């Protein structure tokens, strides 16, 4: 474990040092010696090092400059690591992608305070990625993979499952991290699959999904009127067009039904 370092809660610093767990995460990612990898939140570089031993190239982004001495040592040992000291949310897509000459994979033990924004940035900005293998809070992973009709099913489940294949590869108890967080974690593998469904307009799709779940206590018909600013008659017509009862609630729709609804727009 690294000594003399002041862990910063505000950056979600919960480090992993267990070699078996680190190599299991790398194995879950499916990367090989042809892979190019982006790591977000390098910490003291324990995962970075394992990634560098397998992949042809690793670009690691870390917000906390106090970690420089640890990460610099690592770069001296592994010439295939590039470090970027910055906030991932503020680095431009071009700055990141200029380090890669083909589709890359994201592998990371993500800072929990910003998990969902990071994932959505990668997917919605259309980064040139094959897959994400990320450690997230267990409850968050469960929401990502939730099926229609279960209470964890939400806009995030629909948005991710509509364009990727998701799998929780392992549950990781809180005791595996230092400092120990208050929650357990899970590793989730997200394989981008743009042809999984036929979504004619991504913006409409995302709008319909967000609308349906933003007004959870209302019927889909009421939600659509409010969210899309349309009258009752048009909302009812939309719902009937995909063969659903007009009093249905948004959270009852399958991914295909959300797509049908947004394609109707
Ligand atoms: N990969 C390391 C550290 C994981 S903890 C390990 O597994 O041990 C999460 C790391 O993300 C911390 O080092 C934290 O400083 C960094 N971090 C937090 N917010 C960030 C951001 N916005 N951009 C880049 N790195 C960030």
């Amino acid at each position: 474990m690294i000594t003399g370092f002041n862990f910063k809660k505000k950056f979600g610093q919960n480090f992993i040092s267990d070699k078996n767990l680190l190599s299991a995460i790398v194995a879950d990612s499916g990367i090989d010696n042809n892979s190019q990898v982006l790591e977000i939140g390098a910490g003291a570089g324990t995962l970075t090092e394992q990634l560098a031993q397998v992949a042809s190239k690793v670009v690691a982004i870390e917000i906390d400059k106090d970690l420089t001495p640890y990460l610099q040592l690592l770069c001296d040992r592994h010439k295939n690591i590039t470090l970027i000291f910055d906030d991932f949310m503020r680095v431009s897509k071009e700055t990141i992608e200029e380090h890669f000459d083909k589709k890359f994979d994201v592998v990371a033990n993500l800072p929990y305070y910003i998990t969902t924004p990071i994932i959505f940035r990668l997917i919605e900005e259309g980064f040139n990625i094959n897959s994400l293998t990320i450690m997230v809070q267990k409850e968050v992973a469960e929401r990502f993979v939730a099926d229609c009709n279960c209470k964890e099913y939400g806009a995030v489940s629909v948005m991710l499952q509509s364009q990727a294949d998701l799998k929780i590869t392992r549950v990781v108890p809180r005791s595996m991290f230092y400092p120990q967080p208050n929650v357990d974690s899970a590793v989730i593998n997200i394989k981008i699959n743009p042809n999984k469904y036929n979504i004619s307009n991504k913006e409409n799709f995302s709008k319909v999904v967000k609308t349906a779940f933003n007004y959870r206590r209302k019927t889909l018909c009421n939600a659509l009127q409010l969210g899309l600013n349309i009258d009752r008659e048009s909302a009812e017509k939309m719902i009937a067009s995909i063969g659903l009862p007009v009093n249905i609630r948004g959270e009852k729709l399958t991914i295909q039904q959300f797509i049908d609804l947004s394609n109707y727009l």
Side-chain angles (χ1 to χ4, degrees), residues 79-118:
K79 300 297 174 204
N80 59 343
I81 300 175
T82 305
L83 281 178
I84 300 176
F85 276 102
D86 209 335
D87 177 346
F88 168 73
M89 297 305 283
R90 302 170 70 101
V91 188
S92 75
K93 183 170 172 241
E94 293 68 37
T95 305
I96 295 171
E97 294 201 328
E98 73 187 14
H99 294 283
F100 300 106
D101 49 34
K102 60 174 193 168
K103 280 200 179 190
F104 55 98
D105 297 280
V106 177
V107 185
N109 169 19
L110 287 182
Y112 294 165
Y113 74 101
I114 196 177
T115 304
T116 310
I118 290 176

Side-chain angles (χ1 to χ4, degrees), residues 11-13 15-16 39 41-43 46 62-63 87-88 109 111 113:
F11 287 149
Q13 292 178 340
F15 291 1
I16 305 173
E39 184 191 10
T46 50
E62 172 54 57
I63 198 171
D87 177 346
F88 168 73
N109 169 19
Y113 74 101

